[in-house]
Amino acid sequence: MPRIFLLILMSIAAFGLSACNRSADTRPPLPEEISAVIKPFFEAVRRGDQKAAEKYVAPDFIDDSRVQFAEMSGILKDAPLLAPAIQQRQGSGAYLTFAGQHGKMWITSEVRVVRSGNKPMIEYWDVTAADKAPQLVAHAQDMKRYTNYALMALAVAALAGLALLIWLVRNRTHIIAPEATVETRSVAATVRNTEA
């Protein structure tokens, strides 16, 4: 009877662990000085305000930014707000990937922020629309899924180890010294010879 409760407890724990992992996707917030550049820049690009967007672009990238501005603004105008998906440090700056799904399309923006003088400026930016998730985002999602499976396997192994430990403690006398079998001897009968 106690074994059935142990099995029920193990299955509840295994499925409970997998259910607990379905939490909201919380990413670390962007550093304030980078966020102070990127947020107003994306708002200006979304509105199509090239002059306001150029305030946040590094001087040596302004010409390239002007060439792609109309196309990138058109993509971002209809897209949902992009969430930061990946943050990488690069020297004194940061390389950021923003992504968002719009129907079946993935809108991705890559931005490189560097220090120009005393303030952070955008040295490179690009916006793309594709029918599948960007490779780095897909890789991050795969790693998260594999980590979840590994944690569930570890939990099941820990529960199996606990069950084995409980079984060993309960049955330790039988394992170390098996129960003695009762020997049955035939009764010995002795007869005294008193005639001598």
Side-chain angles (χ1 to χ4, degrees), residues 79-160:
L81 289 176
L82 303 180
I86 297 169
Q87 302 175 34
Q88 298 172 322
R89 300 295 289 164
Q90 276 190 342
S92 63
Y95 190 82
L96 305 147
T97 302
F98 295 85
Q101 196 167 10
H102 185 57
K104 291 184 179 182
M105 297 295 291
W106 277 87
I107 311 298
T108 309
S109 177
E110 296 174 353
V111 180
R112 185 169 47 240
V113 179
V114 295
R115 282 207 165 283
S116 178
N118 282 339
K119 59 182 184 171
M121 302 283 289
I122 295 173
E123 183 185 55
Y124 169 81
W125 68 284
D126 189 24
V127 178
T128 56
D131 56 349
K132 60 181 185 176
Q135 188 174 2
L136 284 174
V137 173
H139 178 68
Q141 289 172 344
D142 288 344
M143 288 305 294
K144 184 176 179 184
R145 185 172 57 245
Y146 295 144
T147 303
N148 292 342
Y149 291 149
L151 287 175
M152 287 190 309
L154 182 65
V156 168
L159 287 172

Side-chain angles (χ1 to χ4, degrees), residues 12-122:
I12 287 173
F15 290 115
L17 282 174
S18 63
C20 288
N21 196 26
R22 304 294 180 230
S23 61
D25 189 16
T26 56
R27 293 186 177 100
L30 293 174
E32 283 187 36
E33 64 176 7
I34 292 177
S35 183
V37 171
I38 289 180
K39 278 187 178 181
F41 173 75
F42 274 137
E43 288 171 5
V45 172
R46 222 176 252 287
R47 287 190 317 264
D49 189 354
Q50 188 172 351
K51 284 223 182 267
E54 286 179 355
K55 292 178 189 175
Y56 305 101
V57 177
D60 39 332
F61 188 70
I62 286 184
D63 292 336
D64 293 334
S65 179
R66 286 180 183 151
V67 170
Q68 66 186 22
F69 188 85
E71 180 186 350
M72 305 301 166
S73 178
I75 294 172
L76 282 180
K77 199 173 283 191
D78 299 329
L81 289 176
L82 303 180
I86 297 169
Q87 302 175 34
Q88 298 172 322
R89 300 295 289 164
Q90 276 190 342
S92 63
Y95 190 82
L96 305 147
T97 302
F98 295 85
Q101 196 167 10
H102 185 57
K104 291 184 179 182
M105 297 295 291
W106 277 87
I107 311 298
T108 309
S109 177
E110 296 174 353
V111 180
R112 185 169 47 240
V113 179
V114 295
R115 282 207 165 283
S116 178
N118 282 339
K119 59 182 184 171
M121 302 283 289
I122 295 173

